[in-house]
């Protein structure tokens, strides 16, 4: 039994769910939500904060500020509380209410941007707010997950090696694309590995990460309205885009088996099963990364009124959504 003194000292690295019985394909889901932050973002947050401390950028008395749709904000809130920093999270209305409340419970401030940038959407407006704040007050330290190389280094050093240890014969890896930190860290690692691994990026329809027109996206986590600075598409073998309705259906299908995962995980699994349907799945050892758990989505992905208002009544009668609760 581990005994810890800081919340960031605990992170379950080696838990996988075999999804064969749920989806009929040999797909292993790497669960990254079993830590005090509840998501894979704790790795990037820990790496970025440690680097800023080593470089003398982050010093006692400073205030961290970051643009986040939720999960990184929670991770930084935990680290800030445990290390004695202040933290301001700049988010928008799509951030899950439970994530906002968790950040506030941990002593962080949350600023909600209400108007999107005309060209770059809510993310552009959030980044502009942070940029203006740090320019006017040098006490604010912006780690900037969107350009910070320690974001992808966290997964190059930890996430990808953990998968390689567990699956030495890995053929295909499915990774969701947000800031692309997880994607690029894993893709860079497996490009240098002793055997070829096909890295498939999973994105949301309406995201501009890999080109295409921007569109409405209501589930936070994956996708972006601004091309990711960290992305080097030459490391990615293929891109799959997933409709939000398919994300929701997949989340509910997993929940019907007792696995309550978040929207990002639903997107990745939906993309993975779609790809496996078109190929010869039993020839592959395939792993998908589950970034988060589902508790923070109880008022959205698993709430019938929210689903009906945004996606229509037909979605509620689809297989796997009968468990959606009313307000």
């Amino acid at each position: 039994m581990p005994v810890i003194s800081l919340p960031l000292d605990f992170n379950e690295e080696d838990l996988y769910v075999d999804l064969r019985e749920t989806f009929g394909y040999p797909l292993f889901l790497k669960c990254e939500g079993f830590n005090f932050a509840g998501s894979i973002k704790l790795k990037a947050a820990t790496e970025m904060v440690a680097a800023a401390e080593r470089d003398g950028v982050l010093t006692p008395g400073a205030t961290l500020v970051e643009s986040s749709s939720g999960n990184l904000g929670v991770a930084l809130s935990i680290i800030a509380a445990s290390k004695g920093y202040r933290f301001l999270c700049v988010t928008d209305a799509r951030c899950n209410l439970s994530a906002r409340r968790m950040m506030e419970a941990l002593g962080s401030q949350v600023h909600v941007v209400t108007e999107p940038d005309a060209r770059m959407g809510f993310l552009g407006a959030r980044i502009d707010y942070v940029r203006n704040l740090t320019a006017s007050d040098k006490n604010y330290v912006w780690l900037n997950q969107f350009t910070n190389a320690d974001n992808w280094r966290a997964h190059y050093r930890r996430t990808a090696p953990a998968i390689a240890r567990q699956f030495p014969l890995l053929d295909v890896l499915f990774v969701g694309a947000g800031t692309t930190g997880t994607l690029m860290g894993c893709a860079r690692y497996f490009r240098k590995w002793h055997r070829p691994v096909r890295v498939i990026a999973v994105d949301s329809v309406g995201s501009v990460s890999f080109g295409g027109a921007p569109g409405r996206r209501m589930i936070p986590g994956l996708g972006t309205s601004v091309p990711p600075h960290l992305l080097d598409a030459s490391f990615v073998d293929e891109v799959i885009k997933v409709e939000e309705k398919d994300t929701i259906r997949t989340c509910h299908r997993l929940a019907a088996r007792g696995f309550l995962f978040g929207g990002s995980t639903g997107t990745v699994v939906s993309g993975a099963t779609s790809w496996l349907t078109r190929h010869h799945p039993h020839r592959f050892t395939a792993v998908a990364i589950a970034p988060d758990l589902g508790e923070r989505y109880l008022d959205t992905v698993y709430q019938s009124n929210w689903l009906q208002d945004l996606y229509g009544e037909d979605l509620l009668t689809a297989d796997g959504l009968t468990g959606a609760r009313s307000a």
Side-chain angles (χ1 to χ4, degrees), residues 17-19 22 250-261 302:
V17 176
D18 186 343
L19 295 180
T22 304
T250 301
C251 285
H252 283 260
R253 191 167 176 182
L254 287 163
R257 299 282 298 181
F259 295 111
L260 194 71
F261 283 107
Y302 297 102

Side-chain angles (χ1 to χ4, degrees), residues 64-298:
L64 286 165
V65 60
E66 188 58 75
S67 166
S68 170
S69 61
N71 282 340
L72 184 74
V74 172
L76 286 173
S77 293
I78 286 174
I79 294 173
S82 66
K83 288 176 169 281
Y85 298 118
R86 293 182 293 275
F87 173 54
L88 168 63
C89 180
V90 179
T91 189
D92 59 65
R94 295 171 300 176
C95 177
N96 292 323
L97 180 59
S98 59
R100 288 165 53 185
R101 286 176 173 169
M102 187 171 181
M103 286 187 274
E104 291 168 345
L106 289 162
S108 299
Q109 292 182 291
V110 179
H111 175 81
V112 180
V113 171
T114 57
E115 293 294 331
D117 180 85
R119 290 189 306 109
M120 297 185 292
F122 278 109
L123 177 56
R126 282 160 34 192
I127 290 174
D128 282 346
Y129 183 92
V130 175
R131 186 177 288 118
N132 292 334
L133 183 65
T134 53
S136 63
D137 189 339
K138 301 303 180 184
N139 190 55
Y140 284 98
V141 175
W142 182 20
L143 299 175
N144 196 350
Q145 63 166 326
F146 305 102
T147 63
N148 194 323
D150 289 300
N151 183 346
W152 68 259
R153 288 191 187 109
H155 305 287
Y156 184 92
R157 293 168 178 165
R158 295 185 58 185
T159 307
I163 295 170
R165 287 193 303 270
Q166 188 72 25
F167 296 94
L169 299 180
L170 180 67
D171 295 302
V172 187
L173 178 66
F174 300 93
V175 190
T179 65
T180 68
T182 307
L183 173 65
M184 294 312 303
C186 291
R188 288 175 187 274
Y189 179 89
F190 283 112
R191 179 65 61 89
K192 296 181 178 181
W193 206 35
H194 66 86
R195 65 188 307 275
V197 173
R198 193 177 306 186
V199 176
I200 312 294
V202 184
D203 197 12
S204 302
V205 170
S207 167
V208 303
S209 296
F210 297 91
R216 186 187 78 163
R217 293 178 296 108
M218 300 305 298
I219 301 174
L222 299 186
T224 182
S225 55
V226 178
H229 179 86
L230 297 177
L231 176 64
D232 182 343
S234 68
F235 285 91
V236 178
D237 295 291
E238 193 172 337
V239 178
I240 299 172
K241 289 202 170 186
V242 175
E243 296 275 1
E244 286 193 335
K245 286 186 177 182
D246 292 325
T247 291
I248 293 163
R249 292 187 183 103
T250 301
C251 285
H252 283 260
R253 191 167 176 182
L254 287 163
R257 299 282 298 181
F259 295 111
L260 194 71
F261 283 107
S264 298
T265 299
T267 301
V268 173
V269 173
S270 178
T273 55
S274 173
W275 188 91
L276 290 169
T277 298
R278 300 192 304 273
H279 293 78
H280 302 282
H282 296 284
R283 297 180 182 177
F284 300 114
T285 297
V287 171
I289 297 177
D292 55 4
L293 302 179
E295 290 90 340
R296 290 174 197 160
Y297 297 81
L298 293 177

